[in-house]
Every structure is written in structure tokens, then in C-alpha cells.
Amino acid sequence: MEDLKQYITLVDFLGKSLGNRYEVVLHDLTVPEKSIIAIANGDISGRKIGGPITDLLLKILKKGKKEHITFITNYKGKTGNKTCRSSSYFIYDKTKKIIGVLCINVDITPLIDFKKIIDNEISFVNYEDKKTLKDDIMENLEGSVDDLIKNMITSRFEQYTNMGSQMSVDDRLNLVRDLYNDGFFLLRGSVSVLAEKLSISEPTLYRYLNRIKRHIEK
């Protein structure tokens, strides 16, 4: 937290200078469940100080030192019915461990709506639609840990025909492995929620996790 205090004033500065369409967020990654320590124009996503980390940041945090990323720009962020153009700047400590992230999310929903109107009006014209957002990076801007846990599970469950008690052991292991790689289990309470969704006991889920960790570490 001490290393990140110098960025708190920067959040306020950027929020005021960029304008109210730009949400600026500072995350302390040492406390994923309450990572937001400063935010400007939070009405864009409905988040506030004490809010949780995002699914994208969990994945990056899970990778740790394997990928030393300075920043990511111009990827898609989703919150409710809004679409944002998002960028993140990663903050490291002296040991090169990621400890924080400064994020800027600009609400481009009005621009997308306006583009649809323009496209309809000039649909008879052939032109190249150039993409400006990275399609391979997506971030959900959740307001609570419970929402984050639920949506991370839901997005992974969509890959399977059966759910819960109807899933095969292999499907359960694959689901747990994917969520492990997503950084899902860095969140407190994630094990109990997933165990209930899978209709298994928490000890069984921990056995799955230990099995996956042994395989990854080989």
C-alpha cells in the first residue's frame, strides 16, 4: 500500500483532467477482494473504493513474474450495458512483483451507438471497418466479489453441456484447471461457491486443485 500512495493523487488528477467519461482506478493487488484504493468517475462502472479486482487482472496476477508486462492499451471492458475502451499500467515493487495497476476506462457506448446510426445511413457504401479494440483481451468491470466469482464461473460453465452433478470427473477437472489458470482461486470464498455449483464437497474440490497443481508443476 505504501508504494502505491503516490498514485492516489494521480487518479484524482486524471479523472478531473480527462473528464467524466473517463473512469480512473487504482488497484492494490495484494488484497484482491478489496483492491480498489482510489477511483475517479466511478459512476461509469458503479464501482467504489473497497471494490474487487477484475477477472483480467486476476489472470495477470496468477502469471506473476512469468510475464513482465508494462502496460496494456485499447482493449474492451464491459460493465452492465456499457462498453469501455480500457488501458492498464502495471506497478511493480523492487523485487519486480506486480503490486498495483492504474486503469483508465473510457465509456465509448455513445460512440458505438452513433456509429450504428452512421453505418445504417451509409450502408450502401463499401468501406473497410477498421477495428480499434483488441479482440483477444476482455475485462469485466465488476462491482463486488460475489458478482466477480459468479460471472467467472458462468463464463467457464458455458463451455460444457452438463453442469453440476451431471458433469463427468474429467469435465470438472478441466473446469477447475481453467479457473485455476484464470486466477479464480486467489479470491476468498471462491472454493465454497464453486463446490456448491459442482455439487461436490470442498475437500473434493481441494483434491482436484492439488491434482492440477502437481500436474502443472511437473
Side-chain angles (χ1 to χ4, degrees):
M1 176 67 173
E2 288 298 322
D3 292 336
L4 298 174
K5 281 185 177 179
Q6 59 185 312
Y7 294 93
I8 292 177
T9 305
L10 182 60
V11 170
D12 190 41
F13 166 72
L14 289 173
K16 285 183 170 62
S17 60
L18 293 174
N20 59 13
R21 283 182 50 243
Y22 288 78
E23 179 185 71
V24 186
V25 190
L26 179 62
H27 290 274
D28 179 353
L29 298 188
T30 63
V31 280
E33 297 85 5
K34 299 179 179 179
S35 68
I36 298 178
I37 59 174
I39 186 167
N41 303 323
D43 54 310
I44 289 176
S45 67
R47 294 179 295 171
K48 56 187 178 181
I49 291 176
I53 195 173
T54 67
D55 51 357
L56 174 63
L57 296 182
L58 273 174
K59 290 180 182 179
I60 293 171
L61 185 59
K62 181 69 182 66
K63 291 179 180 178
K65 293 183 180 180
K66 294 179 182 178
E67 267 186 45
H68 193 283
I69 305 170
T70 304
F71 55 78
I72 305 175
T73 60
N74 300 325
Y75 58 87
K76 184 186 293 184
K78 292 289 290 184
T79 173
N81 59 356
K82 296 177 184 176
T83 299
C84 294
R85 176 166 56 82
S86 301
S87 298
S88 293
Y89 177 85
F90 299 94
I91 304 166
Y92 293 80
D93 64 12
K94 294 178 181 178
T95 67
K96 296 185 179 180
K97 176 184 176 183
I98 300 176
I99 58 170
V101 187
L102 181 65
C103 303
I104 299 177
N105 308 300
V106 53
D107 182 8
I108 60 172
T109 310
L111 300 179
I112 293 174
D113 293 340
F114 184 66
K115 180 178 181 296
K116 289 177 181 177
I117 295 173
I118 296 298
D119 286 347
N120 287 335
E121 292 296 326
I122 61 172
S123 59
F124 60 89
V125 178
N126 291 322
Y127 65 96
E128 183 180 358
D129 183 14
K130 295 182 179 179
K131 295 181 179 179
T132 58
L133 297 181
K134 293 181 174 68
D135 289 333
D136 59 335
I137 301 176
M138 174 68 183
E139 181 177 32
N140 289 296
L141 311 175
E142 304 297 349
S144 71
V145 176
D146 290 342
D147 288 341
L148 177 58
I149 289 174
K150 181 180 71 175
N151 288 337
M152 289 182 75
I153 292 174
T154 299
S155 64
R156 284 299 182 182
F157 259 130
E158 290 174 353
Q159 303 172 27
Y160 300 91
T161 304
N162 297 319
M163 295 185 184
S165 59
Q166 298 178 331
M167 294 180 73
S168 66
V169 174
D170 285 343
D171 281 348
R172 288 178 185 169
L173 281 169
N174 287 333
L175 175 69
V176 173
R177 182 200 63 214
D178 288 340
L179 286 171
Y180 175 79
N181 290 331
D182 288 343
F184 174 79
F185 296 103
L186 295 173
L187 297 171
R188 292 178 185 176
S190 57
V191 170
S192 60
V193 175
L194 182 59
E196 183 178 350
K197 288 288 185 181
L198 291 175
S199 300
I200 59 176
S201 67
E202 289 185 30
T204 298
L205 181 51
Y206 277 116
R207 284 197 292 273
Y208 287 171
L209 273 171
N210 289 333
R211 184 172 168 183
I212 289 164
K213 288 178 184 177
R214 286 197 300 269
H215 179 73
I216 291 174
E217 291 171 359
K218 283 183 179 179

